[in-house]
Amino acid sequence: MECVIKNTFFMFMTVISVLVFVNGGNRVEAQVHHVVGQDPGWEVATNIASWASGRNFFVGDFLWFSYSNSLDKDYVVEVKSKEEFESCDVSNPIKMYTNGLDQISLQEEGIRYFASANPDKCKKGLKLPVQIKSKSTADFQSSSSFDNVLAKEPTSPSSSTKICGSILMIIGAIIIYQMGI
């Protein structure tokens, strides 16, 4: 019975090692649902610029706009240029969102400009530029910032040493399994 437990354990460790080695340690990125303005939502009283600062938007994420779709044009428009966005020229939007709860999928990298359909409210800050980054950009930035932290730490074994260690562990586990230990 003890031999079966050892064999099962070593096979489990071998499979895990192979999966980690083959996958390269990649992680699965989840979609993020950004509720614009959080609890108050899309309102002049909400500091949209403050809400957006420090946030990262990636391809595959979603924006959620929650607002009152009343007569004073609280709804959201998307404008095509930075100039229209900065001047709050909402007269020729790319798209209008008028449901009161709109989900917008961020499908490609680049910048998109959202503003209140009411120019006065837009001028009071009810607007949002969204810089959408690719997932690979996020991985590169996180790995380069991680490398910067590592550079300040004492040196560690090279990645080739780690790969050789992983391979040796796999080979050792297979040998032990085959020997029936």
Side-chain angles (χ1 to χ4, degrees), residues 2-181:
E2 186 178 322
C3 185
V4 172
I5 293 171
K6 281 184 180 179
N7 286 340
T8 305
F9 172 74
F10 284 116
M11 281 306 294
F12 175 74
M13 291 304 293
T14 302
V15 169
I16 295 297
S17 298
V18 169
L19 289 175
V20 168
F21 181 73
V22 169
N23 193 27
N26 291 337
R27 61 180 191 265
V28 176
E29 297 290 334
Q31 300 171 334
V32 176
H33 291 258
H34 303 274
V35 179
V36 178
Q38 286 305 100
D39 195 23
W42 184 250
E43 296 181 3
V44 173
T46 304
N47 188 339
I48 298 296
S50 176
W51 172 84
S53 69
R55 283 189 187 273
N56 290 307
F57 303 95
F58 296 103
V59 172
D61 287 356
F62 293 91
L63 291 178
W64 287 87
F65 288 92
S66 175
Y67 54 92
S68 169
N69 55 355
S70 62
L71 295 175
D72 61 347
K73 296 184 180 180
D74 283 343
Y75 48 88
V76 180
V77 295
E78 184 173 357
V79 295
K80 62 184 170 215
S81 71
K82 183 177 182 179
E83 293 76 27
E84 288 176 329
F85 175 78
E86 288 178 348
S87 67
C88 291
D89 178 2
V90 294
S91 60
N92 191 23
I94 297 172
K95 182 138 184 166
M96 296 180 80
Y97 302 93
T98 59
N99 291 333
L101 182 63
D102 297 299
Q103 176 187 15
I104 299 168
S105 178
L106 305 177
Q107 296 292 330
E108 58 188 42
E109 62 183 296
I111 191 159
R112 294 175 70 178
Y113 300 101
F114 300 95
S116 171
N118 182 325
D120 293 331
K121 290 184 177 187
C122 176
K123 289 175 184 170
K124 291 179 182 175
L126 196 53
K127 56 185 179 177
L128 175 68
V130 178
Q131 178 66 51
I132 307 157
K133 302 174 186 174
S134 71
K135 295 285 184 181
S136 61
T137 302
D139 289 340
F140 175 74
Q141 287 175 343
S142 66
S143 68
S144 65
S145 63
F146 183 71
D147 290 342
N148 290 338
V149 170
L150 284 181
K152 297 175 186 172
E153 297 295 322
T155 58
S156 61
S158 69
S159 60
S160 62
T161 304
K162 292 175 185 174
I163 291 172
C164 289
S166 297
I167 292 172
L168 289 175
M169 186 173 89
I170 293 168
I171 292 171
I174 292 170
I175 290 171
I176 290 171
Y177 174 74
Q178 293 298 324
M179 293 175 62
I181 298 176

